[in-house]
Amino acid sequence: MSKIKVGFTALFTLILLSMFAAFASAEEFVPSPSNPAPGINVGTIDNNGNEATHRTHGNFQNNTNSCGNCHSTHNGDSATLLKFEETESDLCLTCHDGTLGFYNVEKNSGAGVFNSSHDSSSMHNVGTVAIDSAPGALTANEEELQCSSCHNPHGSVNDRLLKTTVNGKTYSTKAIDLEMIEDPAFAEFNASTGPTGLKIYQSKGPVFVNQDLPDVPQRVYSNFCSTCHEDYLKSSGSQRVDGHYSHTTNSYKAGRNCASCHYAHGTDITLLKDTAGKTVADYVKSGWTQEKAEEYMKDVSAGGSAIKKYTNMTVCWACHQTTHKLDTPPVAGGNYSGKPTR
């Protein structure tokens, strides 16, 4: 009889332990002012005695703990004392996966998305490819591409922390200098952080204005991109080192630079557009099934989606047409007038 009692006692104990484990595993992390993300610990009072807001990339407070969120004083895993996960990008993603960083690069940060879970996905594969493996690369550099290859985590003249020296080359900062203003869409948030708190900004555009074309948007990001993709910084009709020709990438005119056609981080089926500027979500909203919309938008190019903003070769048609409407009937000689529409 005693053996039976012991058996029941042991069974009951196991049940209690399993219930406790289930509750523990179901418990989710709850952000707090002093611990806004797992393992990220910050102070709650700023230099003026007010409630603090977390500021990691620059504008550090006098009592900052921001350094310790990325660096370890005596036990760093690199010469810069960084606390690596497996790669540097893993460290960045401890915040920029939506838990703390304002920009969630696994969804859509405005520069595209690091996402391999959807069709037509294509990315700058940080942590896995060499810098000199970039298409059009001329400078030998076997270092791995990392987030800090393009971004300066301590601050920049650009709201995306873009570096002014990339791949050993210092380019004209006209490519990234931006006039910044507080984002009116986040006016309530910006007001709540006080004079010393984090502000969400938006860019009015590049500070540089071409005096010959004062009314034309100045998009010169190709000067930034070409630090790695050197042989792609060409004018129309110019032959590359490998003997091929490519589309103009260094024109000041709208629609004539890398960022007009490509995302910096990457793309997938959820971001791709057609010539009408519509996405999968737009067609689902109009009554299409998700499956039908994705099959329509899927990039079937042999080389993959190549971090494009538009599906297939509609990336060309998006500029080289007289109208952005899909229902425009063909005309004699074609619809292309000979000039980009934007």
Side-chain angles (χ1 to χ4, degrees), residues 124 131-132 134 139-141 143-152 156 160-173 175-176 221-230:
H124 268 112
I131 292 175
D132 60 9
T139 302
N141 188 344
E143 293 181 8
E144 284 186 343
L145 176 69
Q146 299 286 0
C147 301
S148 64
S149 299
C150 296
H151 299 280
N152 186 341
S156 168
R160 296 300 186 269
L161 305 180
L162 296 179
K163 296 176 74 171
T164 54
T165 298
V166 180
N167 197 21
K169 306 176 189 68
T170 300
Y171 59 92
S172 170
T173 58
I176 65 170
Y221 285 107
S222 52
N223 291 330
F224 173 83
C225 302
S226 65
T227 53
C228 292
H229 302 274
E230 297 141 291

Side-chain angles (χ1 to χ4, degrees), residues 64 109 143 145 158 170 203 222 225 232 263 277 308 339:
T64 186
S109 61
E143 293 181 8
L145 176 69
N158 183 272
T170 300
S203 168
S222 52
C225 302
Y232 281 8
Y263 283 112
K308 295 200 304 283
K339 297 180 180 179

Side-chain angles (χ1 to χ4, degrees), residues 45-55 59-61 190 193-199:
I45 302 299
D46 68 13
N47 306 333
N48 298 317
N50 301 317
E51 185 176 348
T53 53
H54 184 49
R55 313 182 89 182
N59 298 318
F60 303 116
Q61 295 173 349
N190 286 342
T193 63
T196 62
L198 173 69
K199 305 294 182 185

Side-chain angles (χ1 to χ4, degrees), residues 115-134:
N115 190 340
S116 59
S117 65
H118 291 81
D119 281 340
S120 301
S121 61
S122 174
M123 294 157 287
H124 268 112
N125 295 317
V126 289
T128 60
V129 298
I131 292 175
D132 60 9
S133 67

Side-chain angles (χ1 to χ4, degrees), residues 20-90:
F20 177 81
F23 285 130
S25 63
E27 185 177 349
E28 295 182 1
F29 174 80
V30 178
S32 68
S34 62
N35 189 11
I40 304 298
N41 300 290
V42 299
T44 56
I45 302 299
D46 68 13
N47 306 333
N48 298 317
N50 301 317
E51 185 176 348
T53 53
H54 184 49
R55 313 182 89 182
T56 297
H57 299 296
N59 298 318
F60 303 116
Q61 295 173 349
N62 294 338
N63 62 345
T64 186
N65 190 49
S66 293
C67 307
N69 291 322
C70 296
H71 299 276
S72 177
T73 309
H74 298 294
N75 300 301
D77 290 333
S78 74
T80 52
L81 303 180
L82 283 175
K83 299 191 296 189
F84 280 173
E85 301 287 323
E86 278 191 43
T87 68
E88 178 187 303
S89 58
D90 291 328

